[in-house]
Amino acid sequence: MTRGSPLNLSRGRKAEDIACTRLQQAGLALTTRNYRSPFGEIDLIMQEHDTLVFVEVRYRSSDDFGTPAETVDARKQARLRATAEHYLQNTPRASKKACRFDIVALTGDGEGGDFRWLQNVF
């Protein structure tokens, strides 16, 4: 399957659903989903107390060729930062809040697979 195929999009959406549910169970509140800017997209923007949390969700069926979190390289981090800055500049109520970047890494079949929530990663 090529990147962007319906199967990959379906798996990505399911991974985002799982991540969102698990983070909400941990006490975070969903603010925005799939925020797009000219620089890229942020999967989930959530709030934990007075902190905005920009969440990148990564899924892989196995970690044979590296973990999902390892795919968030310097280039991807720069795009996430630029997109977060765009969000903050265009959302006045958010611009004065502390913020952090988290990664949710899912491996396996989703529900029963490995779930890792890496907080304040960059």
Side-chain angles (χ1 to χ4, degrees):
M1 291 263 130
T2 61
R3 189 169 188 201
S5 71
L7 181 57
N8 285 343
L9 293 173
S10 172
R11 287 179 179 159
R13 180 69 181 188
K14 182 177 178 185
E16 286 178 14
D17 290 343
I18 292 166
C20 188
T21 299
R22 296 279 297 267
L23 295 177
Q24 287 174 318
Q25 290 170 345
L28 280 71
L30 179 63
T31 300
T32 306
R33 190 166 179 160
N34 302 116
Y35 179 81
R36 287 177 173 77
S37 81
F39 312 104
E41 177 184 318
I42 295 177
D43 297 323
L44 304 169
I45 301 174
M46 305 191 82
Q47 187 165 330
E48 183 177 46
H49 307 293
D50 290 332
T51 302
L52 273 178
V53 183
F54 298 102
V55 182
E56 175 67 11
V57 179
R58 292 299 207 175
Y59 167 79
R60 283 197 165 176
S61 57
S62 76
D63 60 3
D64 292 346
F65 300 102
T67 67
E70 291 173 331
T71 66
V72 184
D73 58 12
R75 183 173 160 220
K76 179 63 176 176
Q77 289 176 28
R79 289 181 20 214
L80 289 168
R81 280 190 190 101
T83 303
E85 287 176 14
H86 186 273
Y87 176 81
L88 293 170
Q89 290 170 356
N90 291 285
T91 311
R93 61 179 163 63
S95 64
K96 300 204 182 332
K97 294 182 185 255
C99 46
R100 72 173 197 245
F101 293 87
D102 291 3
I103 297 173
V104 170
L106 295 128
T107 308
D109 65 359
E111 296 286 341
D114 187 41
F115 178 93
R116 295 189 188 223
W117 176 20
L118 308 167
Q119 298 179 35
N120 204 26
V121 293
F122 58 92

